[in-house]
Amino acid sequence: MKNTQSAFDKYESSARTYCRTFPVVFSKAQGARLFDENGNQFIDFLAGAGALNFGHNSPIIKQGVIEYLEGNGLVMALDLHSTEKRRFIDAFQKYILKPRDLSYKMQFTSPTGTSVIESAVKLAKKWTKRETIVSFTNGFHGMTGLSLSLTGSSHHRQATAYGNTFRLPYDGYLGDGINTMAYFRKLLEDKSSGLDLPAAVVVETVQGEGGLNTASIEWLQELRNITEQYGILLIVDEVQSGCGRTGKFFSFERASIKPDLVCLSKSIGGMGLPFALLLTRPDIDIWQPGEDNGTFRGNNLAFVASRIAIEHYWATNEFELQVEHKAKIITEFLSGLKSSFSQYIGSVKGIGIMQGVEFLDPEVVPGIINLCFGKGLIVESCGNQGQVLKIMAPLIIDEVDLLSGLKIIEDCISSYASYNSCTSNNIKQNLSLTAE
Ligand code: PLP
């Protein structure tokens, strides 16, 4: 093995995370598979935390990008008009927005998820001339100042204090029978509730980092009704749940709602290229030129990759049907796991190809992830205590790899269970020996 591992330990910041769970050096990737420097291969159930819906090095996307580079296509262009930007805009309008009867202006913000959230919130504050932003328990929206203020996790927020954020309980947070939208409505009705009329509500329809909590259709519709009634802008964070992850291109489609602003990043880059897109109700787009600026806005390589992905996967509903089919396989498999290992698993969570199982004891999860890794599967956890084992395979994964990955999870939970019962039997035996 090359002596590169030490370079990371020696020189790379201790802020690094994923590489600690999967301590090999990766060198190649294709489809739903990753390869390390020693030629070991892994099925990828992490998919760049949702940035690789269309897989690693998709042949058709990669070919387009190579041809573009070989033809000296413009790469860095700030926000200058370019042929590829126009082609991307036309494709996005034609295949994504028009068929869904959606009318939005398209803003190419700085390319990360957190930047597009920041842009959306700044614009909402400017348009409404209000300050308060509502977000939800266990929501995750990024790690820069404004986005971080909306994020629920105290681990991520650390000691940083940000004002003007009001956090509401997400759907289901207070238990099954409690309608948290009724609470929101009550707060807005009561002038003494302490909640000033918000500029916007920022919501994920499925909480990707927060534990795959999934808002019900009724809850989302009620949120849309309330925000409309009070003139509050509804910002849907599709950074992780968008681009087909939940089955539809936008995760809000299942609730038949139309947000005022929509934030896309991660998989909108086509093959993992950095790219973010803010969709804005046309009348809200009141920016002055350069008011929301950034050097890297709309990278042309990402325009190429994204356009090809859109033309290839979203021209018909075939891809949606395939995702739906795989999602069903996952749901059935996870429901089976829950029945077989009810002593460990509390529930099946999520929708589409962002599903998982919630363990009763969060401490079990790192061990299972490690066992899976040893058997050639990259899978991560989410949730406020890391209690949810999360399946985020690329959407293009074939059924063979999908089933192999799921089987590895089952085998590893099974190994864990037998090791555990073996250990506790030994303890019991030892205890009874001592008692005798
Ligand atoms: N919003 C959601 C829902 C996310 O899942 C993430 C990242 O995981 C972000 C925003 C932030 O994206 P980025 O890490 O690209 O800044």
Side-chain angles (χ1 to χ4, degrees):
M1 185 167 163
K2 287 183 201 149
N3 187 24
T4 43
Q5 187 82 45
S6 61
F8 308 118
D9 295 337
K10 210 165 162 190
Y11 299 118
E12 194 184 351
S13 161
S14 58
R16 63 196 193 278
T17 51
Y18 293 109
C19 54
R20 296 176 191 274
T21 316
F22 311 110
V24 291
V25 181
F26 294 100
S27 55
K28 292 192 176 186
Q30 168 65 63
R33 288 181 177 242
L34 283 158
F35 302 85
D36 74 10
E37 279 183 340
N38 297 324
N40 299 309
Q41 54 176 298
F42 302 85
I43 296 173
D44 186 2
F45 273 14
L46 175 59
L52 289 161
N53 284 6
F54 312 112
H56 296 272
N57 285 311
S58 150
I60 178 164
I61 301 176
K62 187 177 66 177
Q63 188 56 31
V65 168
I66 291 170
E67 280 168 17
Y68 185 72
L69 283 173
E70 282 182 340
N72 286 331
L74 182 71
V75 175
M76 170 53 185
L78 300 168
D79 70 351
L80 293 171
H81 291 160
S82 71
T83 311
E84 273 307 323
K85 187 196 277 191
R86 183 173 53 214
R87 290 183 80 189
F88 170 79
I89 291 174
D90 289 347
F92 196 82
Q93 290 289 333
K94 179 172 172 192
Y95 296 118
I96 306 297
L97 295 184
K98 296 248 161 69
R100 291 165 181 79
D101 194 25
L102 294 168
S103 167
Y104 289 121
K105 285 289 220 54
M106 298 161 70
Q107 184 186 346
F108 304 106
T109 66
S110 290
T112 58
T114 194
S115 338
V116 64
I117 298 290
E118 298 251 347
S119 294
V121 169
K122 280 190 288 176
L123 186 56
K125 288 187 177 190
K126 181 177 163 69
W127 192 78
T128 57
K129 299 190 180 67
R130 295 179 215 138
E131 274 304 312
T132 304
I133 305 290
V134 168
S135 64
F136 291 95
T137 49
N138 285 307
F140 183 84
H141 303 285
M143 297 292 287
T144 50
L146 242 172
S147 305
L148 199 54
S149 72
L150 309 167
T151 293
S153 155
S154 58
H155 165 69
H156 287 125
R157 275 186 288 110
Q158 297 288 340
T160 324
Y162 295 100
N164 299 325
T165 299
F166 194 94
R167 205 161 281 103
L168 283 178
Y170 193 70
D171 191 16
Y173 185 75
L174 297 173
D176 276 349
I178 299 180
N179 176 359
T180 63
M181 273 301 115
Y183 173 57
F184 187 27
R185 190 178 278 286
K186 173 85 185 165
L187 290 172
L188 290 166
E189 279 165 2
D190 180 359
K191 295 276 172 288
S192 299
S193 68
L195 172 63
D196 295 328
L197 187 62
V201 173
V202 182
V203 69
E204 296 161 88
T205 72
V206 183
Q207 295 186 317
E209 296 306 300
L212 300 176
N213 310 312
T214 308
S216 69
I217 289 177
E218 300 72 42
W219 189 88
L220 289 167
Q221 288 175 342
E222 182 60 357
L223 176 60
R224 180 64 285 193
N225 289 340
I226 294 175
T227 47
E228 241 163 35
Q229 184 184 338
Y230 282 88
I232 302 164
L233 297 180
L234 179 60
I235 302 174
V236 175
D237 179 346
E238 293 272 345
V239 168
Q240 189 164 149
S241 58
C243 300
R245 185 49 63 191
T246 66
K248 305 282 181 204
F249 186 87
F250 296 110
S251 73
F252 59 77
E253 284 178 63
R254 80 187 154 93
S256 309
I257 56 169
K258 289 187 181 172
D260 301 301
L261 297 112
V262 180
C263 300
L264 287 163
S265 177
K266 294 199 190 248
S267 280
I268 192 68
M271 55 181 292
L273 297 175
F275 186 25
L277 173 59
L278 174 62
L279 303 174
T280 307
R281 216 177 70 198
D283 60 302
I284 297 171
D285 181 44
I286 54 164
W287 291 125
Q288 292 300 308
E291 205 179 350
D292 191 41
N293 219 332
T295 303
F296 294 103
R297 283 176 296 150
N299 176 292
N300 278 264
L301 273 193
F303 283 137
V304 175
S306 189
R307 175 191 43 83
I308 297 173
I310 285 166
E311 289 170 351
H312 187 70
Y313 292 108
W314 299 99
T316 68
N317 70 345
E318 177 69 14
F319 186 61
E320 279 184 5
L321 295 175
Q322 288 168 9
V323 174
E324 202 180 296
H325 173 66
K326 289 174 214 172
K328 214 162 145 220
I329 293 178
I330 298 172
T331 311
E332 278 166 16
F333 192 92
L334 295 181
S335 306
L337 268 191
K338 177 176 146 24
S339 319
S340 309
F341 299 103
S342 53
Q343 73 275 36
Y344 294 113
I345 296 174
S347 58
V348 176
K349 304 194 74 179
I351 52 171
I353 307 189
M354 58 188 301
Q355 296 189 57
V357 279
E358 180 161 38
F359 282 77
L360 299 168
D361 177 2
E363 302 212 341
V364 168
V365 182
I368 303 234
I369 288 176
N370 198 32
L371 286 174
C372 288
F373 179 55
K375 286 183 179 290
L377 177 71
I378 306 280
V379 63
E380 257 290 7
S381 63
C382 64
N384 56 354
Q385 296 173 283
Q387 73 278 28
V388 179
L389 191 72
K390 180 184 185 189
I391 291 158
M392 285 275 288
L395 308 182
I396 51 84
I397 192 169
D398 62 33
E399 268 185 56
V400 174
D401 274 358
L402 178 60
L403 292 172
S404 307
L406 292 172
K407 181 79 176 56
I408 291 175
I409 293 178
E410 181 176 27
D411 289 348
C412 292
I413 299 177
S414 178
S415 306
Y416 182 88
S418 39
Y419 172 78
N420 224 23
S421 71
C422 190
T423 327
S424 61
N425 279 345
N426 281 348
I427 293 169
K428 275 185 219 145
Q429 218 171 17
N430 286 342
L431 285 175
S432 64
L433 282 177
T434 325
E436 278 165 13

